[in-house]
Amino acid sequence: MTERRLERSAVHRGDLILVNAQLPFAGPEEQDRVCLDANVMLARRAAEPLRRLVRALGGWSVLAPVSGWRSQREQQEIYESSLRQNGRAFTEQFVALPGHSEHQTGLAIDLGQAGPDLDFICPDFPYCGICQEFRRRAVDYGFVERYRAGKESVTGIAHEPWHFRYVGRPHAAIMMQRDLVLEEYHSFLKNFPLGGTPLCWKEGKGVWEIVFVPLQGAQTCIPWGENGSWAVSGNNEDGFILTSWKEQ
Ligand SMILES: [Zn+2]
């Protein structure tokens, strides 16, 4: 076991960062992006599992990528154009303020059922058929439905059946099993501070241990094990989530 020192700015980076009305995206612009189609880009680490899942369901002829990574400027343009076309009430419900959109992380994707007349802001993604099959299997690929019905008061965003967020494995499965959205998951993880009993998740032969490490000033010291089986993400606010994996 070795140690790693994380700069304060690292709290704004990683698969689990929380971006919402209170917490703006403060990380560097995602550089390692890949194109899902001509207009839709995603961070490579999210795009690869997404492609595998979509391929398993029949490919991009049945599901359509509608919107992925957005720069600050693009988010600004979408917000302003929605204000003009749809008015303030609609826009505030469905379009995040520039700087506060998960799309700026490169880890969020809006999907639609492939077909003509796909709406750019509210694409059709019903709770049946191929879309529901996507939803059911998404957690195995590290994705969660981010803005669910009944959680509007927590997320601050209206129900968006089409918006999925990559958080990685096994976090997506834990969130699903415990019925937690990302805001709630971050509160929950604070019950498992480094040095105490970790949150444990078993799947097949794998055992994951997850702990929360509070931000410790200019540098935060975390334990670090063998490469490939340890991952760390900031929460975009006040600490880090450390995930380690081993085979049973
Ligand atoms: Zn979206």
Side-chain angles (χ1 to χ4, degrees):
M1 182 88 65
T2 56
E3 263 184 12
R4 255 183 88 177
R5 284 179 189 280
L6 302 171
E7 299 297 324
R8 176 180 279 275
S9 60
V11 85
H12 304 299
R13 293 198 293 269
D15 295 346
L16 285 162
I17 53 169
L18 176 63
V19 173
N20 59 20
Q22 289 75 42
L23 294 169
F25 174 62
E29 200 166 82
E30 176 66 47
Q31 297 300 319
D32 191 13
R33 303 187 300 260
V34 294
C35 287
L36 296 175
D37 77 2
N39 301 311
V40 182
M41 281 194 281
L42 213 57
R44 182 184 302 275
R45 62 192 192 278
E48 283 173 354
L50 178 68
R51 277 178 172 155
R52 285 201 303 275
L53 173 53
V54 170
R55 207 178 295 134
L57 293 171
W60 291 118
S61 58
V62 290
L63 296 170
V66 176
S67 184
W69 175 79
R70 297 175 193 158
S71 66
Q72 168 82 10
R73 196 166 132 210
E74 277 172 291
Q75 185 67 23
Q76 183 89 38
E77 284 166 4
I78 291 168
Y79 193 84
E80 284 168 9
S81 120
S82 177
L83 274 181
R84 285 193 302 273
Q85 286 173 18
N86 309 310
R88 185 163 294 277
F90 176 93
T91 301
E92 286 178 351
Q93 241 191 332
F94 288 108
V95 186
L97 275 170
H100 292 265
S101 171
E102 266 202 339
H103 285 280
Q104 293 177 240
T105 66
L107 302 172
I109 180 85
D110 295 340
L111 295 170
Q113 191 162 22
D117 306 326
L118 255 183
D119 190 277
F120 179 72
I121 294 186
C122 301
D124 192 30
F125 205 79
Y127 288 86
C128 58
I130 196 78
C131 297
Q132 187 59 8
E133 186 61 14
F134 176 92
R135 218 173 251 115
R136 195 180 66 75
R137 294 176 63 174
V139 291
D140 296 332
Y141 294 80
F143 282 86
V144 291
E145 186 184 338
R146 176 73 176 89
Y147 303 117
R148 286 163 35 205
K151 298 283 188 178
E152 295 90 339
S153 64
V154 185
T155 61
I157 299 275
H159 179 208
E160 291 194 355
W162 56 84
H163 179 114
F164 294 86
R165 161 71 192 265
Y166 182 75
V167 291
R169 295 180 66 216
H171 303 285
I174 301 172
M175 289 168 69
M176 165 103 143
Q177 190 206 43
R178 293 182 174 267
D179 189 31
L180 303 172
V181 290
L182 196 52
E183 283 82 357
E184 296 169 317
Y185 187 50
H186 278 302
S187 303
F188 172 69
L189 289 178
K190 289 183 178 170
N191 296 316
F192 304 92
L194 178 65
T197 306
L199 173 61
C200 202
W201 178 261
K202 290 179 187 168
E203 205 180 293
K205 284 184 176 168
V207 182
W208 283 262
E209 288 188 350
I210 302 162
V211 293
F212 176 74
V213 189
L215 191 67
Q216 297 156 3
Q219 284 193 327
T220 302
C221 196
I222 61 165
W224 198 250
E226 274 173 55
N227 261 345
S229 56
W230 288 65
V232 65
S233 172
N235 67 0
N236 201 27
E237 188 179 14
D238 57 4
F240 299 92
I241 295 92
L242 185 59
T243 306
S244 61
W245 175 88
K246 61 176 185 279
E247 216 165 66
Q248 221 166 13

